[in-house]
Amino acid sequence: MPGLDGIYVLSVKSFTDRIAHIRKELGAQHLDFEFVFDHDAAELDPAVLARQFAADTQLSRAHCSLVLKHAEAWRRALSRGQRTILVLEDDVLLNRNFRAGLATALAAGRGLHDGWLIFLGGADTKVPDAFFLSKTPIFPLPLPTAEGYLTDAAAMARRIAWLDANRVDLPADHLINQIDEACGIGQYWLRSPVVEQGSVFGLFTSKLDRNRLKHSTVYNWLRYHWNKIRRRRLRGCWVKLRARLGG
């Protein structure tokens, strides 16, 4: 797509079901991409772990792996001189408006100061009233999860510099928030989400979220879709109605 220099999918060599899934999703969108298989949890280099993570970290090997995979995508992009990339985790679903939403996000990114991230998901996540009343395609909010986002070269360079100077003790999504806040990187949401995280509602078994593993697939599916309705559709209608009535 114009303005998009690369698509990186974070996956694990043994996750054959997820690999087949994401190939189908991006193939249907006629988009080229590459996998990031480096730093699989079963193959983590002890020297890399000791250098990058806090000595007393409570992060699992899977969480450490995902942190390193995000960083690997940024490093690859910078080494190739890529200015804007899309990073996806391997369990994402792309909705029918994905290409249009991606084009909207890319256009919005071109209007931002260097050093930004645009989150493409969040369909079930709480947002402030101002989100619903905004007329702009993107809205400034911290990243809630990291399954799908656009980011630019300036932001990637600042994150890598931070990682080279600091040790990590947070999972990927919280870590990106920490780094971006520290490095003055602007975070935004696309107001109409175009990706969803399949492991949240049972399409795949979660490899990271122990809370989801406590519940059945049916429960996770129902909770996810109810949250989409109550947090975005119903609340959005209420906020807009109240604004029209002057409340």
Side-chain angles (χ1 to χ4, degrees), residues 46-54 67-68 71 75 160 162-169 175:
V48 172
L49 290 174
R51 181 174 65 250
Q52 188 63 84
F53 294 90
V67 166
L68 293 170
R75 292 182 191 276
I160 293 301
W162 190 97
L163 288 170
D164 288 344
N166 296 274
R167 291 189 177 186
V168 172
D169 195 26
L175 175 65

Side-chain angles (χ1 to χ4, degrees), residues 70 87-89 91-92 119 121-122 145-149 195-197:
H70 279 277
V87 178
L88 298 171
E89 295 180 359
D91 62 340
V92 295
F119 176 57
T145 50
E147 70 272 15
Y149 60 86
V195 304
E196 298 181 78
Q197 193 170 14

Side-chain angles (χ1 to χ4, degrees), residues 36-148:
V36 176
F37 290 130
D38 305 57
H39 310 295
D40 283 358
E43 302 172 359
L44 288 176
D45 183 342
V48 172
L49 290 174
R51 181 174 65 250
Q52 188 63 84
F53 294 90
D56 59 348
T57 184
Q58 298 300 305
L59 294 177
S60 68
R61 290 179 70 88
H63 278 104
C64 292
S65 170
L66 187 55
V67 166
L68 293 170
K69 287 176 183 288
H70 279 277
E72 176 65 23
W74 305 333
R75 292 182 191 276
R76 287 189 197 180
L78 290 171
S79 72
R80 297 166 182 173
Q82 294 176 332
R83 296 181 59 81
T84 303
I85 66 167
L86 170 63
V87 178
L88 298 171
E89 295 180 359
D90 59 7
D91 62 340
V92 295
L93 286 173
L94 312 180
N95 77 19
R96 61 184 181 181
N97 297 317
F98 177 76
R99 286 187 71 97
L102 183 58
T104 297
L106 286 166
R110 288 193 288 272
L112 298 172
H113 294 295
D114 288 350
W116 53 263
L117 176 151
I118 299 176
F119 176 57
L120 303 180
D124 67 325
T125 310
K126 293 179 182 178
V127 292
D129 288 0
F131 183 93
F132 298 109
L133 302 176
S134 174
K135 303 299 182 182
T136 59
I138 59 174
F139 188 85
L141 275 179
L143 184 79
T145 50
E147 70 272 15

